[in-house]
Amino acid sequence: MSLTMSLYARARPGLATSVRRSCSTLSSLPSDRSVFENYHQSQYVASEQVQNKQRRCFSSLYNAVIPPRVRPKYYIPRDERSETNSIFERDPKYPEKLAKIKRSCPTRELNYTPEHWRRNKDPWRRPRHILSLLDSSPLRRLVLPDLTITACVGAALSYYNVFVSPDAPLLMDGQTMVGATTAVGLLAAFRLNASYGRWDESRKFWGEINNSIRDLAGNTVMWIDSTEEKARMLKLAKAFPFALLFHLNEKGGHYRLSRDDPEFKEQKYAEFNAEMHDIFQDEHNPDFAQICNTYYNGGHVPLAVSAIMRTIIAQNTADPIYNREMDEQVQRLVGRLGMCERLLRTPIPTCFTRHTSRLFFFWSNLLPLAMYSSLGPIGTIPGSLFVSYAVLGIGDISVQLEEPFNILPLRQYSDVMHDAVNSIEGSYNEASQRIDDSSSNATAYMMGQAITPIGNAQGSFDGSKGGIIAVNRRNDSSACESSQVAA
């Protein structure tokens, strides 16, 4: 019986564990053969059910796309976009910026055009900016609670000094606040400089990703032999920046999505699925299925895309030097991915952020005490609000810049890379077609020179001399003399 069980376990490697466990209970089973067969039949059925479930999971992961349960609301396919039907909701006053959904939203600027640069350098920009002060992002975020608390402190101080204790008003020496204001200003400038450095680094990283995508697309059209694998690699090159966008930005650039929506996760997946479907144009594409299912299951989508790229490169039959060059481009993409993740997951030391925030709070609420002696009860509140807004606004901007992937127009960068890959592919195909046409024309011309037209040739055969009289070819202007060719 043990020999039978051993052979059965070898025939079904997936049942080896269950068979070993069942061997320990064989001694307690009845010796009737039917009972023995029924027992192992039940074990076999249970194991088959487990394996079928695993097979379905494997199939759903790599062969079939997990369908989204909601429809995409914000993604617009590229062939349906226009100036009036754009994926971006622009600010009506400033078309170079995205519209703010709520007051806490930071300023998100799009790629600049020559018209935007003209407005940015307009001599009348300062009056225009003053008139738009109430639409300022820092002011809208600081009004509540920071400036409101400062105004309340100033109002309470003015009331106390005027109505409660006019003979002994609460005051603070202005010279004392000068040193504190200098220290707070230096802290605000230092923090702004550190945050701007993070913003600048992230923009450079995406610039290098753009260059790598273009280089990879150019190498792909030249050096990948298989037409199918070439098209596959180009689609992956277009998919990588969008996969990175959804990896770095929680909403994937769709800022109208609300985290309070109970279907927020499903809506994000629907937008991502629509994005990938617009690139692959095939629901049954295995790469499309793997990428979408990896995102749905919480996997690392950019690394999954790079792994598929390297699989294609490894299977390419071109010269290893070309394959190594393409792999270096993929390495550059993965390297910039790691640098972006470093910025995403490592903020400015939070102890410094908390300490700066506390100092800003105390300083802004002590300002009315220092300014009362100079401005009086009427000017204390507006003066304190102005100075607080000037310094706290710098701190607020630095906090927004600290998370650059929530401000930069990553979707526009990704669209630019998508268009660049299409442009490289189209230019290569056009150049290849011209070369093929030129080769065909050259071949036809050479064949026409080798074959003499019957209507323009005269000739004879001289058998006595063992040779032929060469063909007397004629053209429109003159005729050539016959010449004898030796056999």
Side-chain angles (χ1 to χ4, degrees), residues 445-478:
Y445 176 78
M446 295 176 63
M447 293 179 65
Q449 291 292 323
I451 301 174
T452 304
I454 296 177
N456 295 331
Q458 296 178 352
S460 62
F461 178 79
D462 189 353
S464 62
K465 295 182 180 181
I468 63 172
I469 302 300
V471 175
N472 184 17
R473 303 189 62 184
R474 301 180 183 274
N475 53 30
D476 295 337
S477 60
S478 62

PDB file of all heavy atoms in Angstrom, residues 445-478:
ATOM      1  N   TYR A 445      15.571  50.027 -62.425  1.00  0.00           N
ATOM      2  CA  TYR A 445      16.427  50.734 -63.386  1.00  0.00           C
ATOM      3  C   TYR A 445      17.572  49.849 -63.864  1.00  0.00           C
ATOM      4  O   TYR A 445      17.882  49.798 -65.060  1.00  0.00           O
ATOM      5  CB  TYR A 445      16.964  52.011 -62.751  1.00  0.00           C
ATOM      6  CG  TYR A 445      17.932  52.770 -63.616  1.00  0.00           C
ATOM      7  CD1 TYR A 445      17.459  53.555 -64.669  1.00  0.00           C
ATOM      8  CD2 TYR A 445      19.301  52.693 -63.395  1.00  0.00           C
ATOM      9  CE1 TYR A 445      18.342  54.249 -65.480  1.00  0.00           C
ATOM     10  CE2 TYR A 445      20.186  53.391 -64.202  1.00  0.00           C
ATOM     11  CZ  TYR A 445      19.702  54.173 -65.248  1.00  0.00           C
ATOM     12  OH  TYR A 445      20.569  54.857 -66.053  1.00  0.00           O
ATOM     13  N   MET A 446      18.220  49.141 -62.918  1.00  0.00           N
ATOM     14  CA  MET A 446      19.319  48.257 -63.299  1.00  0.00           C
ATOM     15  C   MET A 446      18.840  47.127 -64.191  1.00  0.00           C
ATOM     16  O   MET A 446      19.505  46.747 -65.157  1.00  0.00           O
ATOM     17  CB  MET A 446      19.983  47.710 -62.035  1.00  0.00           C
ATOM     18  CG  MET A 446      20.670  48.790 -61.196  1.00  0.00           C
ATOM     19  SD  MET A 446      21.343  48.153 -59.660  1.00  0.00           S
ATOM     20  CE  MET A 446      22.562  47.018 -60.319  1.00  0.00           C
ATOM     21  N   MET A 447      17.688  46.570 -63.905  1.00  0.00           N
ATOM     22  CA  MET A 447      17.143  45.521 -64.747  1.00  0.00           C
ATOM     23  C   MET A 447      16.785  46.056 -66.130  1.00  0.00           C
ATOM     24  O   MET A 447      16.955  45.377 -67.145  1.00  0.00           O
ATOM     25  CB  MET A 447      15.907  44.908 -64.084  1.00  0.00           C
ATOM     26  CG  MET A 447      16.214  44.146 -62.796  1.00  0.00           C
ATOM     27  SD  MET A 447      14.739  43.464 -62.032  1.00  0.00           S
ATOM     28  CE  MET A 447      14.258  42.286 -63.304  1.00  0.00           C
ATOM     29  N   GLY A 448      16.303  47.307 -66.205  1.00  0.00           N
ATOM     30  CA  GLY A 448      15.989  47.908 -67.504  1.00  0.00           C
ATOM     31  C   GLY A 448      17.214  48.153 -68.338  1.00  0.00           C
ATOM     32  O   GLY A 448      17.179  48.077 -69.572  1.00  0.00           O
ATOM     33  N   GLN A 449      18.364  48.422 -67.688  1.00  0.00           N
ATOM     34  CA  GLN A 449      19.611  48.607 -68.427  1.00  0.00           C
ATOM     35  C   GLN A 449      20.161  47.283 -68.949  1.00  0.00           C
ATOM     36  O   GLN A 449      20.793  47.227 -69.988  1.00  0.00           O
ATOM     37  CB  GLN A 449      20.651  49.278 -67.522  1.00  0.00           C
ATOM     38  CG  GLN A 449      20.355  50.719 -67.180  1.00  0.00           C
ATOM     39  CD  GLN A 449      20.461  51.625 -68.389  1.00  0.00           C
ATOM     40  OE1 GLN A 449      21.323  51.436 -69.241  1.00  0.00           O
ATOM     41  NE2 GLN A 449      19.559  52.597 -68.479  1.00  0.00           N
ATOM     42  N   ALA A 450      19.905  46.203 -68.199  1.00  0.00           N
ATOM     43  CA  ALA A 450      20.454  44.903 -68.612  1.00  0.00           C
ATOM     44  C   ALA A 450      19.641  44.253 -69.720  1.00  0.00           C
ATOM     45  O   ALA A 450      20.152  43.476 -70.516  1.00  0.00           O
ATOM     46  CB  ALA A 450      20.508  43.964 -67.408  1.00  0.00           C
ATOM     47  N   ILE A 451      18.327  44.567 -69.805  1.00  0.00           N
ATOM     48  CA  ILE A 451      17.453  43.955 -70.802  1.00  0.00           C
ATOM     49  C   ILE A 451      17.231  44.953 -71.926  1.00  0.00           C
ATOM     50  O   ILE A 451      16.761  46.068 -71.700  1.00  0.00           O
ATOM     51  CB  ILE A 451      16.111  43.541 -70.196  1.00  0.00           C
ATOM     52  CG1 ILE A 451      16.365  42.538 -69.058  1.00  0.00           C
ATOM     53  CG2 ILE A 451      15.173  42.960 -71.238  1.00  0.00           C
ATOM     54  CD1 ILE A 451      15.120  42.180 -68.314  1.00  0.00           C
ATOM     55  N   THR A 452      17.595  44.577 -73.199  1.00  0.00           N
ATOM     56  CA  THR A 452      17.484  45.491 -74.337  1.00  0.00           C
ATOM     57  C   THR A 452      16.076  45.491 -74.890  1.00  0.00           C
ATOM     58  O   THR A 452      15.511  44.432 -75.139  1.00  0.00           O
ATOM     59  CB  THR A 452      18.448  45.059 -75.453  1.00  0.00           C
ATOM     60  OG1 THR A 452      19.762  44.997 -74.904  1.00  0.00           O
ATOM     61  CG2 THR A 452      18.397  46.047 -76.617  1.00  0.00           C
ATOM     62  N   PRO A 453      15.501  46.650 -75.071  1.00  0.00           N
ATOM     63  CA  PRO A 453      14.169  46.708 -75.680  1.00  0.00           C
ATOM     64  C   PRO A 453      14.202  46.178 -77.106  1.00  0.00           C
ATOM     65  O   PRO A 453      15.119  46.473 -77.882  1.00  0.00           O
ATOM     66  CB  PRO A 453      13.817  48.190 -75.650  1.00  0.00           C
ATOM     67  CG  PRO A 453      14.720  48.784 -74.606  1.00  0.00           C
ATOM     68  CD  PRO A 453      15.969  47.977 -74.644  1.00  0.00           C
ATOM     69  N   ILE A 454      13.211  45.391 -77.458  1.00  0.00           N
ATOM     70  CA  ILE A 454      13.194  44.734 -78.781  1.00  0.00           C
ATOM     71  C   ILE A 454      13.037  45.763 -79.884  1.00  0.00           C
ATOM     72  O   ILE A 454      13.659  45.679 -80.939  1.00  0.00           O
ATOM     73  CB  ILE A 454      12.038  43.707 -78.839  1.00  0.00           C
ATOM     74  CG1 ILE A 454      12.315  42.616 -77.806  1.00  0.00           C
ATOM     75  CG2 ILE A 454      11.906  43.115 -80.224  1.00  0.00           C
ATOM     76  CD1 ILE A 454      11.209  41.587 -77.725  1.00  0.00           C
ATOM     77  N   GLY A 455      12.217  46.790 -79.668  1.00  0.00           N
ATOM     78  CA  GLY A 455      11.949  47.759 -80.731  1.00  0.00           C
ATOM     79  C   GLY A 455      13.127  48.655 -81.041  1.00  0.00           C
ATOM     80  O   GLY A 455      13.146  49.311 -82.070  1.00  0.00           O
ATOM     81  N   ASN A 456      14.147  48.742 -80.193  1.00  0.00           N
ATOM     82  CA  ASN A 456      15.269  49.655 -80.396  1.00  0.00           C
ATOM     83  C   ASN A 456      16.580  48.922 -80.636  1.00  0.00           C
ATOM     84  O   ASN A 456      17.639  49.475 -80.417  1.00  0.00           O
ATOM     85  CB  ASN A 456      15.415  50.578 -79.195  1.00  0.00           C
ATOM     86  CG  ASN A 456      14.225  51.481 -79.059  1.00  0.00           C
ATOM     87  OD1 ASN A 456      13.570  51.820 -80.039  1.00  0.00           O
ATOM     88  ND2 ASN A 456      13.910  51.864 -77.803  1.00  0.00           N
ATOM     89  N   ALA A 457      16.550  47.654 -81.046  1.00  0.00           N
ATOM     90  CA  ALA A 457      17.790  46.884 -81.206  1.00  0.00           C
ATOM     91  C   ALA A 457      17.792  46.160 -82.541  1.00  0.00           C
ATOM     92  O   ALA A 457      16.764  45.692 -83.033  1.00  0.00           O
ATOM     93  CB  ALA A 457      17.933  45.877 -80.076  1.00  0.00           C
ATOM     94  N   GLN A 458      18.974  46.097 -83.164  1.00  0.00           N
ATOM     95  CA  GLN A 458      19.197  45.327 -84.387  1.00  0.00           C
ATOM     96  C   GLN A 458      20.455  44.506 -84.209  1.00  0.00           C
ATOM     97  O   GLN A 458      21.422  44.983 -83.673  1.00  0.00           O
ATOM     98  CB  GLN A 458      19.363  46.258 -85.599  1.00  0.00           C
ATOM     99  CG  GLN A 458      18.091  47.076 -85.906  1.00  0.00           C
ATOM    100  CD  GLN A 458      18.318  48.005 -87.078  1.00  0.00           C
ATOM    101  OE1 GLN A 458      19.438  48.139 -87.559  1.00  0.00           O
ATOM    102  NE2 GLN A 458      17.247  48.643 -87.527  1.00  0.00           N
ATOM    103  N   GLY A 459      20.478  43.284 -84.701  1.00  0.00           N
ATOM    104  CA  GLY A 459      21.654  42.450 -84.504  1.00  0.00           C
ATOM    105  C   GLY A 459      21.640  41.248 -85.423  1.00  0.00           C
ATOM    106  O   GLY A 459      20.636  40.921 -86.048  1.00  0.00           O
ATOM    107  N   SER A 460      22.798  40.553 -85.543  1.00  0.00           N
ATOM    108  CA  SER A 460      22.902  39.361 -86.393  1.00  0.00           C
ATOM    109  C   SER A 460      23.941  38.429 -85.825  1.00  0.00           C
ATOM    110  O   SER A 460      24.790  38.831 -85.036  1.00  0.00           O
ATOM    111  CB  SER A 460      23.275  39.774 -87.834  1.00  0.00           C
ATOM    112  OG  SER A 460      24.552  40.422 -87.832  1.00  0.00           O
ATOM    113  N   PHE A 461      23.898  37.197 -86.284  1.00  0.00           N
ATOM    114  CA  PHE A 461      24.820  36.186 -85.800  1.00  0.00           C
ATOM    115  C   PHE A 461      25.731  35.765 -86.939  1.00  0.00           C
ATOM    116  O   PHE A 461      25.268  35.424 -88.024  1.00  0.00           O
ATOM    117  CB  PHE A 461      24.043  34.976 -85.290  1.00  0.00           C
ATOM    118  CG  PHE A 461      24.930  33.851 -84.801  1.00  0.00           C
ATOM    119  CD1 PHE A 461      25.510  33.916 -83.555  1.00  0.00           C
ATOM    120  CD2 PHE A 461      25.195  32.754 -85.619  1.00  0.00           C
ATOM    121  CE1 PHE A 461      26.323  32.892 -83.128  1.00  0.00           C
ATOM    122  CE2 PHE A 461      26.009  31.739 -85.179  1.00  0.00           C
ATOM    123  CZ  PHE A 461      26.580  31.788 -83.920  1.00  0.00           C
ATOM    124  N   ASP A 462      27.039  35.790 -86.700  1.00  0.00           N
ATOM    125  CA  ASP A 462      28.042  35.417 -87.710  1.00  0.00           C
ATOM    126  C   ASP A 462      28.628  34.079 -87.326  1.00  0.00           C
ATOM    127  O   ASP A 462      29.543  34.010 -86.508  1.00  0.00           O
ATOM    128  CB  ASP A 462      29.112  36.495 -87.794  1.00  0.00           C
ATOM    129  CG  ASP A 462      30.052  36.275 -88.983  1.00  0.00           C
ATOM    130  OD1 ASP A 462      29.920  35.217 -89.620  1.00  0.00           O
ATOM    131  OD2 ASP A 462      30.881  37.151 -89.229  1.00  0.00           O
ATOM    132  N   GLY A 463      28.106  33.026 -87.879  1.00  0.00           N
ATOM    133  CA  GLY A 463      28.562  31.703 -87.496  1.00  0.00           C
ATOM    134  C   GLY A 463      29.910  31.338 -88.057  1.00  0.00           C
ATOM    135  O   GLY A 463      30.632  30.531 -87.490  1.00  0.00           O
ATOM    136  N   SER A 464      30.297  31.918 -89.192  1.00  0.00           N
ATOM    137  CA  SER A 464      31.586  31.546 -89.782  1.00  0.00           C
ATOM    138  C   SER A 464      32.748  32.006 -88.943  1.00  0.00           C
ATOM    139  O   SER A 464      33.817  31.397 -88.942  1.00  0.00           O
ATOM    140  CB  SER A 464      31.702  32.158 -91.195  1.00  0.00           C
ATOM    141  OG  SER A 464      31.646  33.576 -91.084  1.00  0.00           O
ATOM    142  N   LYS A 465      32.539  33.105 -88.211  1.00  0.00           N
ATOM    143  CA  LYS A 465      33.622  33.629 -87.373  1.00  0.00           C
ATOM    144  C   LYS A 465      33.516  33.174 -85.937  1.00  0.00           C
ATOM    145  O   LYS A 465      34.320  33.565 -85.109  1.00  0.00           O
ATOM    146  CB  LYS A 465      33.616  35.154 -87.415  1.00  0.00           C
ATOM    147  CG  LYS A 465      33.939  35.704 -88.811  1.00  0.00           C
ATOM    148  CD  LYS A 465      33.974  37.205 -88.783  1.00  0.00           C
ATOM    149  CE  LYS A 465      34.295  37.772 -90.182  1.00  0.00           C
ATOM    150  NZ  LYS A 465      34.357  39.222 -90.191  1.00  0.00           N
ATOM    151  N   GLY A 466      32.499  32.335 -85.696  1.00  0.00           N
ATOM    152  CA  GLY A 466      32.376  31.817 -84.343  1.00  0.00           C
ATOM    153  C   GLY A 466      32.014  32.878 -83.352  1.00  0.00           C
ATOM    154  O   GLY A 466      32.356  32.764 -82.181  1.00  0.00           O
ATOM    155  N   GLY A 467      31.360  33.929 -83.735  1.00  0.00           N
ATOM    156  CA  GLY A 467      30.995  34.993 -82.804  1.00  0.00           C
ATOM    157  C   GLY A 467      29.688  35.611 -83.189  1.00  0.00           C
ATOM    158  O   GLY A 467      28.957  35.126 -84.043  1.00  0.00           O
ATOM    159  N   ILE A 468      29.357  36.727 -82.519  1.00  0.00           N
ATOM    160  CA  ILE A 468      28.129  37.430 -82.819  1.00  0.00           C
ATOM    161  C   ILE A 468      28.451  38.872 -83.119  1.00  0.00           C
ATOM    162  O   ILE A 468      29.485  39.410 -82.705  1.00  0.00           O
ATOM    163  CB  ILE A 468      27.134  37.346 -81.648  1.00  0.00           C
ATOM    164  CG1 ILE A 468      27.739  38.039 -80.415  1.00  0.00           C
ATOM    165  CG2 ILE A 468      26.747  35.905 -81.345  1.00  0.00           C
ATOM    166  CD1 ILE A 468      26.744  38.171 -79.301  1.00  0.00           C
ATOM    167  N   ILE A 469      27.615  39.425 -83.937  1.00  0.00           N
ATOM    168  CA  ILE A 469      27.703  40.857 -84.174  1.00  0.00           C
ATOM    169  C   ILE A 469      26.883  41.545 -83.083  1.00  0.00           C
ATOM    170  O   ILE A 469      25.713  41.235 -82.875  1.00  0.00           O
ATOM    171  CB  ILE A 469      27.193  41.226 -85.569  1.00  0.00           C
ATOM    172  CG1 ILE A 469      27.994  40.475 -86.631  1.00  0.00           C
ATOM    173  CG2 ILE A 469      27.279  42.729 -85.805  1.00  0.00           C
ATOM    174  CD1 ILE A 469      29.464  40.773 -86.613  1.00  0.00           C
ATOM    175  N   ALA A 470      27.511  42.433 -82.376  1.00  0.00           N
ATOM    176  CA  ALA A 470      26.862  43.053 -81.223  1.00  0.00           C
ATOM    177  C   ALA A 470      25.611  43.797 -81.644  1.00  0.00           C
ATOM    178  O   ALA A 470      25.472  44.249 -82.776  1.00  0.00           O
ATOM    179  CB  ALA A 470      27.823  44.028 -80.525  1.00  0.00           C
ATOM    180  N   VAL A 471      24.725  43.925 -80.705  1.00  0.00           N
ATOM    181  CA  VAL A 471      23.460  44.612 -80.952  1.00  0.00           C
ATOM    182  C   VAL A 471      23.733  46.078 -81.242  1.00  0.00           C
ATOM    183  O   VAL A 471      24.498  46.743 -80.547  1.00  0.00           O
ATOM    184  CB  VAL A 471      22.535  44.455 -79.741  1.00  0.00           C
ATOM    185  CG1 VAL A 471      21.262  45.272 -79.929  1.00  0.00           C
ATOM    186  CG2 VAL A 471      22.199  42.998 -79.546  1.00  0.00           C
ATOM    187  N   ASN A 472      23.126  46.557 -82.277  1.00  0.00           N
ATOM    188  CA  ASN A 472      23.256  47.965 -82.626  1.00  0.00           C
ATOM    189  C   ASN A 472      22.116  48.719 -81.957  1.00  0.00           C
ATOM    190  O   ASN A 472      20.992  48.729 -82.455  1.00  0.00           O
ATOM    191  CB  ASN A 472      23.204  48.110 -84.141  1.00  0.00           C
ATOM    192  CG  ASN A 472      23.422  49.561 -84.598  1.00  0.00           C
ATOM    193  OD1 ASN A 472      23.906  50.359 -83.822  1.00  0.00           O
ATOM    194  ND2 ASN A 472      23.068  49.848 -85.850  1.00  0.00           N
ATOM    195  N   ARG A 473      22.404  49.297 -80.818  1.00  0.00           N
ATOM    196  CA  ARG A 473      21.375  50.009 -80.067  1.00  0.00           C
ATOM    197  C   ARG A 473      21.231  51.425 -80.577  1.00  0.00           C
ATOM    198  O   ARG A 473      22.209  52.116 -80.822  1.00  0.00           O
ATOM    199  CB  ARG A 473      21.736  50.035 -78.585  1.00  0.00           C
ATOM    200  CG  ARG A 473      21.939  48.647 -78.001  1.00  0.00           C
ATOM    201  CD  ARG A 473      22.067  48.690 -76.503  1.00  0.00           C
ATOM    202  NE  ARG A 473      20.836  49.212 -75.916  1.00  0.00           N
ATOM    203  CZ  ARG A 473      20.708  49.422 -74.609  1.00  0.00           C
ATOM    204  NH1 ARG A 473      21.697  49.166 -73.804  1.00  0.00           N
ATOM    205  NH2 ARG A 473      19.579  49.903 -74.129  1.00  0.00           N
ATOM    206  N   ARG A 474      20.004  51.865 -80.695  1.00  0.00           N
ATOM    207  CA  ARG A 474      19.714  53.199 -81.207  1.00  0.00           C
ATOM    208  C   ARG A 474      18.995  54.023 -80.127  1.00  0.00           C
ATOM    209  O   ARG A 474      18.226  53.497 -79.356  1.00  0.00           O
ATOM    210  CB  ARG A 474      18.842  53.111 -82.464  1.00  0.00           C
ATOM    211  CG  ARG A 474      19.502  52.313 -83.594  1.00  0.00           C
ATOM    212  CD  ARG A 474      18.587  52.271 -84.824  1.00  0.00           C
ATOM    213  NE  ARG A 474      19.185  51.453 -85.881  1.00  0.00           N
ATOM    214  CZ  ARG A 474      20.054  51.941 -86.764  1.00  0.00           C
ATOM    215  NH1 ARG A 474      20.396  53.209 -86.709  1.00  0.00           N
ATOM    216  NH2 ARG A 474      20.547  51.155 -87.714  1.00  0.00           N
ATOM    217  N   ASN A 475      19.260  55.272 -80.187  1.00  0.00           N
ATOM    218  CA  ASN A 475      18.498  56.189 -79.362  1.00  0.00           C
ATOM    219  C   ASN A 475      17.873  57.268 -80.223  1.00  0.00           C
ATOM    220  O   ASN A 475      17.927  57.192 -81.455  1.00  0.00           O
ATOM    221  CB  ASN A 475      19.373  56.810 -78.260  1.00  0.00           C
ATOM    222  CG  ASN A 475      20.639  57.442 -78.845  1.00  0.00           C
ATOM    223  OD1 ASN A 475      20.614  57.909 -79.974  1.00  0.00           O
ATOM    224  ND2 ASN A 475      21.698  57.468 -78.039  1.00  0.00           N
ATOM    225  N   ASP A 476      17.315  58.256 -79.601  1.00  0.00           N
ATOM    226  CA  ASP A 476      16.590  59.270 -80.354  1.00  0.00           C
ATOM    227  C   ASP A 476      17.508  60.158 -81.176  1.00  0.00           C
ATOM    228  O   ASP A 476      17.075  60.767 -82.156  1.00  0.00           O
ATOM    229  CB  ASP A 476      15.771  60.151 -79.401  1.00  0.00           C
ATOM    230  CG  ASP A 476      14.690  59.326 -78.717  1.00  0.00           C
ATOM    231  OD1 ASP A 476      14.315  58.274 -79.274  1.00  0.00           O
ATOM    232  OD2 ASP A 476      14.224  59.755 -77.624  1.00  0.00           O
ATOM    233  N   SER A 477      18.764  60.300 -80.809  1.00  0.00           N
ATOM    234  CA  SER A 477      19.653  61.255 -81.477  1.00  0.00           C
ATOM    235  C   SER A 477      20.536  60.613 -82.536  1.00  0.00           C
ATOM    236  O   SER A 477      20.760  61.190 -83.583  1.00  0.00           O
ATOM    237  CB  SER A 477      20.504  61.978 -80.438  1.00  0.00           C
ATOM    238  OG  SER A 477      21.281  61.036 -79.722  1.00  0.00           O
ATOM    239  N   SER A 478      21.088  59.436 -82.253  1.00  0.00           N
ATOM    240  CA  SER A 478      22.034  58.819 -83.195  1.00  0.00           C
ATOM    241  C   SER A 478      22.063  57.331 -82.967  1.00  0.00           C
ATOM    242  O   SER A 478      21.543  56.841 -81.986  1.00  0.00           O
ATOM    243  CB  SER A 478      23.438  59.430 -83.014  1.00  0.00           C
ATOM    244  OG  SER A 478      23.902  59.165 -81.717  1.00  0.00           O
TER     245      SER A 478
END
